[in-house]
Amino acid sequence: MKSYDAAVIGGGVLGCFALRSLCRYRLSAVLIEAQADVCMGVTRANSAIVYAGYDNKPGSLKARMCVRANRHFHELCSELDVPFSRCGSLMTSCGEKGNAVLEKKYRDGIANGLEGLELISGDKARKMEPMLSRDVQSALYAPMTGTVNPWRLGIAACENAVQNGAELRLNTKLLAIKETDGGYILHTDREDIFCKAVINCAGLSAHVVQRMVYPCAVSIEKDAADFLVMDRDIEKPSRIIFQEKEDGKGITAVPCTEGNLLVDSAPRAMTRPYATSAEGIESIKKQLTALLPELEQDIIRTFAALRPNPHSEDGRSINDFCIETPAPGFVSLIGIKTPGLTCAEELGRYVAGICAEYLQAPPNPAFDGHRQAIDCADGDIVCLCEGISRAEIVESIRRGARTVEAVKRRVGTGMGRCQGSRCEIKIAQILETYSNGTL
Ligand SMILES: Cc1cc2nc3c(=O)[nH]c(=O)nc-3n(C[C@H](O)[C@H](O)[C@H](O)COP(=O)(O)OP(=O)(O)OC[C@H]3O[C@@H](n4cnc5c(N)ncnc54)[C@H](O)[C@@H]3O)c2cc1C
């Protein structure tokens, strides 16, 4: 049986950053992920926003981590060679109730130590973003808000952890945990693994994983959200636009680092997991027309997300990050929702620190946090829409991509107008030459 100092369960963005942070210490670490690639769960479908920190209650862990993470985000993305755009955001309101919400968020933002936050008039907001509706009365401007591709960030963190000696077990589902002398035996559907400490980052199933060995009073209720992706070529706002309606949160429009506009809905009840709802999509389109009337709604894709909502035993919703340590060598991140992407590095360092202290592991002077993005274009173009070459696809396979989807998420194949209809077969053939050993 293979043995490690620490095992991370779940390869979402949080597990990937926990693994990378473990590499800052002298210890052996492994990540166990049920799916064929990392970042295929909640991390796969989210709004891609690096939040400023005005949405979180002053004094909460969320607020402290979010503000700190936002300040260092550029540095983090430079280290990991991941595109990051500090595009700023406007939270808009068209009525009195919305204006009052913006004022409260402004006060919270100031209490959280944010710089540059400004309450502005509708006219000033329209000067900044001329596509905004005439109905917008006021806006909260946050220049520090940004956007990052969530799975690119998680994959980069994971690659960097592997460069630093951590191990990755994909297609490996944890089935049971047994506490044993000096640690745990992890029974998976492939092999048994021994570890001295566990970091549980199993996302929507984190409470289930904790219950494999310890009680967990937290339960997770799921809800959903719908998303639209617009073609890159349309004219669009340059900042993230939030809509605060008189009856609560509305849509959010995000000009992504890839150039597309991503638009999401407020939370809705979950039907089938990851299935979009026709009413949800229609409702986003209607709200978008009201908020950005001139926008050409050139939709190239729709998808849905699942959101974990942690609840305590008495049924109350838990609003702060829920971190449990049921035993000294076991730490769980349970139902981490927004701003979990923004705080992934902070949360990873936090749980790895708990683990390292338990293991009495000293810092690792050999840790190197730098990773380089794939950049080896040659003349043999496979993805015609995005201009992605065979050499880039081969390099993504060399770094661990084993499916067409995994290649797409590393080099951007299939992200253009044809959505992969022209290149997917060619990529599958290249993957086959890899599995035949003839690549
Ligand atoms: C709709 C929506 C929008 C959001 N927008 C933002 C945003 O704009 N900005 C922001 O900061 N945050 C945002 N968030 C929050 C952010 O997406 C999450 O906090 C983050 O992605 C959670 O990552 P995770 O690693 O906990 O979970 P996941 O990505 O779900 O990863 C958990 C992994 O554990 C694996 N797993 C589970 N059980 C097992 C098992 N038994 N064995 C092996 N593996 C297992 C799963 O396969 C999965 O890959 C949003 C969330 C939602 C839902």
Side-chain angles (χ1 to χ4, degrees):
M1 182 170 26
K2 275 221 79 161
S3 166
Y4 300 87
D5 291 315
V8 178
I9 315 300
V13 71
L14 300 184
C16 293
F17 272 98
L19 188 71
R20 178 176 185 253
S21 295
L22 283 171
C23 298
R24 295 177 184 276
Y25 302 92
R26 265 196 220 160
L27 48 75
S28 57
V30 65
L31 185 149
I32 295 166
E33 167 54 51
Q35 303 208 46
D37 195 7
V38 294
C39 299
M40 295 289 283
V42 178
T43 305
R44 184 187 191 184
N46 72 34
S47 314
I49 299 167
V50 176
Y51 281 91
Y54 58 74
D55 287 299
N56 308 115
K57 196 173 161 194
S60 63
L61 184 61
K62 269 189 184 177
R64 281 182 279 130
M65 281 194 171
C66 189
V67 172
R68 212 165 41 217
N70 180 294
R71 283 193 187 130
H72 297 295
F73 224 86
H74 178 72
E75 207 180 308
L76 175 69
C77 289
S78 305
E79 257 190 356
L80 292 174
D81 204 5
V82 174
F84 167 57
S85 157
R86 199 178 283 288
C87 52
S89 64
L90 286 169
M91 178 169 274
T92 61
S93 152
C94 298
E96 274 179 27
K97 280 192 188 158
N99 297 345
V101 172
L102 267 45
E103 281 161 25
K104 170 154 188 341
K105 288 189 186 284
Y106 174 76
R107 288 193 300 275
D108 285 352
I110 298 299
N112 288 339
L114 265 63
E115 285 149 21
L117 202 58
E118 240 183 293
L119 271 174
I120 59 175
S121 66
D123 283 339
K124 186 161 176 194
R126 271 181 295 277
K127 272 210 182 110
M128 294 168 81
E129 291 295 349
M131 295 185 96
L132 275 179
S133 151
R134 303 275 342 144
D135 294 336
V136 169
Q137 291 182 2
S138 69
L140 179 60
Y141 172 48
M144 65 294 276
T145 310
T147 176
V148 71
N149 179 310
W151 64 78
R152 285 217 163 151
L153 184 69
I155 288 170
C158 188
E159 277 184 15
N160 183 235
V162 171
Q163 281 169 359
N164 279 285
E167 292 184 28
L168 181 61
R169 296 274 190 286
L170 296 174
N171 292 309
T172 304
K173 184 170 183 182
L174 179 71
L175 302 175
I177 308 177
K178 192 168 161 248
E179 205 176 355
T180 179
D181 264 359
Y184 302 90
I185 295 174
L186 309 177
H187 299 289
T188 77
D189 57 0
R190 293 199 156 208
E191 60 186 318
D192 284 355
I193 292 170
F194 172 82
C195 63
K196 294 181 195 155
V198 171
I199 299 181
N200 167 16
C201 296
L204 295 160
S205 308
H207 59 315
V208 178
V209 165
Q210 184 165 310
R211 281 181 201 144
M212 288 178 183
V213 61
Y214 298 118
C216 179
V218 181
S219 59
I220 291 178
E221 283 174 24
K222 296 168 197 160
D223 61 22
D226 294 306
F227 286 80
L228 306 180
V229 183
M230 305 284 174
D231 191 31
R232 213 173 280 164
D233 293 342
I234 61 165
E235 202 183 321
K236 57 190 163 290
S238 56
R239 294 171 187 79
I240 295 169
I241 310 291
F242 298 103
Q243 182 189 38
E244 189 58 45
K245 299 192 301 180
E246 291 302 270
D247 56 355
K249 185 184 176 311
I251 55 167
T252 305
V254 183
C256 293
T257 50
E258 285 79 13
N260 307 86
L261 188 73
L262 177 72
V263 189
D264 73 23
S265 68
R268 63 161 169 84
M270 187 188 86
T271 45
R272 274 183 302 126
Y274 296 112
T276 51
S277 89
E279 311 87 80
I281 300 290
E282 276 318 303
S283 159
I284 297 181
K285 290 196 217 165
K286 245 166 97 184
Q287 293 174 76
L288 197 51
T289 306
L291 184 64
L292 299 164
E294 306 294 318
L295 188 93
E296 184 195 343
Q297 297 191 13
D298 193 356
I299 299 164
I300 58 167
R301 193 162 177 235
T302 61
F303 63 92
L306 274 188
R307 182 188 285 101
N309 296 293
H311 283 74
S312 56
E313 233 166 354
D314 58 10
R316 270 185 305 160
S317 153
I318 300 172
N319 292 321
D320 210 345
F321 286 143
C322 180
I323 305 175
E324 296 226 325
T325 43
F330 196 107
V331 51
S332 295
L333 291 173
I334 305 186
I336 303 290
K337 51 181 186 174
T338 307
L341 168 66
T342 310
C343 301
E345 220 266 322
E346 286 280 329
L347 286 163
R349 277 192 191 239
Y350 185 78
V351 291
I354 293 176
C355 213
E357 199 181 326
Y358 169 72
L359 295 166
Q360 298 188 328
N364 174 11
F367 173 75
D368 179 2
H370 294 87
R371 166 261 181 198
Q372 278 190 332
I374 295 174
D375 182 15
C376 49
D378 65 10
D380 185 6
I381 300 297
V382 175
C383 170
L384 299 172
C385 299
E386 301 296 291
I388 313 286
S389 71
R390 182 184 158 86
E392 289 166 283
I393 294 165
V394 169
E395 175 60 13
S396 74
I397 297 170
R398 200 189 62 72
R399 293 193 191 191
R402 295 291 175 269
T403 62
V404 172
E405 174 76 16
V407 170
K408 169 181 176 174
R409 290 163 358 110
R410 279 161 182 77
V411 293
T413 44
M415 303 274 276
R417 266 202 89 86
C418 93
Q419 290 286 288
S421 60
R422 292 187 290 179
C423 63
E424 277 184 0
I425 290 184
K426 293 184 212 159
I427 296 165
Q429 285 163 348
I430 300 173
L431 279 160
E432 204 184 329
T433 58
Y434 171 82
S435 47
N436 292 340
T438 54
L439 186 66

